Amino acid sequence: PLWLSEAEALAWSREDADRHEPNGDTFLTENGHQQAELLGAYWAPILTRAAGNGKLRVFCSPMRRNLQTAAPLLRELDALG
């Protein structure tokens, strides 16, 4: 939702406080890790030829959860390459 009630905001902050850094950099949830693995497994075979020919560039934000999302794809490409 776009807006959180005060109760929802408090519940969110208690549940997720251990996942957040003061600058907003967060960790992926377990579900997020599973989705990132699926992303890597799906896209790596498709992108292998481009990667092998040096025609693939991966740009990723330095934020932790973005790096965690990209890591399985890069690992799969490296294994296939």
Side-chain angles (χ1 to χ4, degrees):
L2 185 57
W3 302 100
L4 294 177
S5 69
E6 185 177 346
E8 291 171 320
L10 286 172
W12 175 85
S13 64
R14 285 189 203 109
E15 292 172 8
D16 293 340
D18 60 332
R19 292 184 30 239
H20 294 353
E21 295 291 328
N23 67 356
D25 198 3
T26 63
F27 293 95
L28 284 180
T29 63
E30 184 57 38
N31 185 48
H33 281 288
Q34 291 171 359
Q35 291 176 339
E37 291 293 333
L38 291 171
L39 176 132
Y42 177 83
W43 281 105
I46 296 168
L47 298 173
T48 298
R49 179 181 286 182
N53 292 335
K55 295 181 180 179
L56 178 69
R57 300 290 183 263
V58 177
F59 295 90
C60 184
S61 160
M63 298 299 279
R64 182 180 295 125
R65 68 185 292 123
N66 295 342
L67 294 170
Q68 290 175 323
T69 299
L73 172 62
L74 298 175
R75 186 178 61 245
E76 290 284 331
L77 287 170
D78 189 48
L80 294 173

